Structures are given as structure tokens and as C-alpha cells.
Amino acid sequence: MIKNIKMTGYTGLYAEYADSLNISNCQIEPQHWGVRISTSSGFKIIHSEFKNARYGLYFANSEGSFISNDVHHLTYNPYPYAPIYILSSVMDVIGNDIYQNIGTHGGALRLYLSSGNITHNYIHDNTVNYYGAILDQVSDFMISNNIIEDNTSHSYAAGISSLGSSTSIIDNKICGNSSSYNYGGGFYLFQGDGTVAGNLISNNNAQHY
């Protein structure tokens, strides 16, 4: 267990083959990578703060949960990174406050070839170059009961963009998001077969459509 410590330096935490890793009540404020976890199962990150990391949080080929954390001011995320990037993993992202981050593909979360649950998060005031605060690609998530508001995208929907996925998007509040150039201020769906139901989608803006 890693508990009640502050992590700075180049990388806050790098973990590989770290099954059952438990991180709680930590403050992670590195210069570059906030967290890199790969090829690990059963990990849990809870009640921690992540800020000012240049490349955000990266989870690959892993299974775990990210619960009740504060993620903010991750300020520079070159392609293909988002503040939280989940690649080929099974992840539950629950009850986090994710705000004032900047991403190139996904202003808060990028989900790629992955599955799990994204629920009860407050995702707000993030900025992204392409696609939404949540970019869901070729994945199978349940995205439910989140508040996704006041995010800004330079291209495609600033709320949720779902591309080629089987993800279900249910009972979210998607409001006040703005795309300054392209399609879908709140929602952009392309070639997927998931379920979209019960969402409140209001006061979103897009330059086209």
C-alpha cells in the first residue's frame, strides 16, 4: 500500500506487474508522467490528488479502479494522450472530480480498446483539441450518471465523442459544452452500436450542426 505521501520529480509513479497495488490519500504532482501503470491487475487508486503533470495518467493492459480522486491542471498532453488514458484495460472510474485539464484527444478521458464503468464523475471545464471531454474509441463501457459540463473542444463534440464502440451512455447530464469548429457540441457518435438513453443534453453549442 502507498498511503499519505506526496510524489514529485519526473514521474509520480511507474508500476509494472503490480497486482493488488493500493494507492490512497496521496498528492501526486510530478513534472511529466503523473502515473503509469501497465500489466497490472486488481489495483485501486482512491482519495488522491493529481495535478500539474505534463502527460497525465496512463493505464495499459491492466485491470483496476480509480475512485474519488481529484484530477486537475494536467496542462500539456501531446497526441495520443489525454489527462486520463485507458488503453487495452478494464477500468472502473467512479466519483472523481476531473477539471481544468488540457488534452489533444480527450479533454478528461480517452478510452481505447477497453471496457468498464465510468460513473458518478464530475467532468467539467476541460479543453481538448479533438473530440470530447470523454473520447470513447472501439470500447465497451457503461458511461452513466456523470455530470459533463462546460468543456470546450476545437473539433467535434466537447461532451462525449464515441467512435466505433459498443458503449452504453445512460442517465448523464451533458450541458453547456462547446465545440468551436466542428460537429456536435454535446454529443458525437460515429459507427457504434451501444445504447444511448435517459441523458439530459442541453445548452451545448457547435459551429456546425
Side-chain angles (χ1 to χ4, degrees):
M1 175 181 286
I2 301 172
K3 186 175 182 180
N4 297 325
I5 64 172
K6 181 175 181 178
M7 303 180 190
T8 59
Y10 188 87
T11 298
L13 175 70
Y14 182 89
E16 202 170 21
Y17 301 101
D19 294 347
S20 301
L21 175 67
N22 194 320
I23 300 169
S24 66
N25 300 101
C26 291
Q27 183 179 359
I28 300 178
E29 187 179 357
Q31 297 170 351
H32 286 80
W33 289 101
V35 168
R36 288 176 62 94
I37 293 178
S38 63
T39 324
S40 300
S41 64
F43 71 84
K44 181 181 290 187
I45 301 174
I46 60 172
H47 301 301
S48 294
E49 180 183 20
F50 302 85
K51 63 180 181 178
N52 299 332
R54 184 176 181 183
Y55 298 121
L57 316 177
Y58 176 76
F59 305 98
N61 302 303
S62 295
E63 177 272 321
S65 55
F66 190 79
I67 301 172
S68 299
N69 299 289
D70 194 14
V71 181
H72 62 95
H73 292 95
L74 307 184
T75 56
Y76 182 64
N77 301 284
Y79 178 84
Y81 300 111
I84 301 172
Y85 183 22
I86 299 171
L87 171 65
S88 300
S89 295
V90 179
M91 287 277 296
D92 291 332
V93 179
I94 302 170
N96 303 282
D97 191 0
I98 307 172
Y99 61 97
Q100 293 184 1
N101 302 289
I102 299 173
T104 58
H105 288 65
L109 288 153
R110 185 182 184 188
L111 317 171
Y112 188 55
L113 297 173
S114 296
S115 62
N117 295 284
I118 311 294
T119 187
H120 292 99
N121 300 284
Y122 185 26
I123 300 171
H124 61 103
D125 297 293
N126 301 285
T127 301
V128 61
N129 288 339
Y130 299 98
Y131 304 105
I134 298 177
L135 170 56
D136 165 49
Q137 294 177 281
V138 200
S139 292
D140 186 9
F141 276 87
M142 171 65 76
I143 300 177
S144 65
N145 295 290
N146 302 284
I147 299 174
I148 303 166
E149 65 181 6
D150 298 327
N151 299 286
T152 301
S153 173
H154 299 304
S155 183
Y156 299 98
I160 298 176
S161 293
S162 184
L163 313 178
S165 290
S166 299
T167 289
S168 295
I169 302 171
I170 296 176
D171 293 336
N172 300 281
K173 178 183 176 183
I174 305 170
C175 300
N177 302 287
S178 179
S179 176
S180 63
Y181 176 71
N182 225 320
Y183 312 105
F187 239 143
Y188 177 73
L189 306 177
F190 181 75
Q191 291 186 341
D193 60 357
T195 298
V196 178
N199 300 284
L200 173 62
I201 305 171
S202 68
N203 296 319
N204 300 288
N205 295 289
Q207 186 71 24
H208 302 286
Y209 309 110

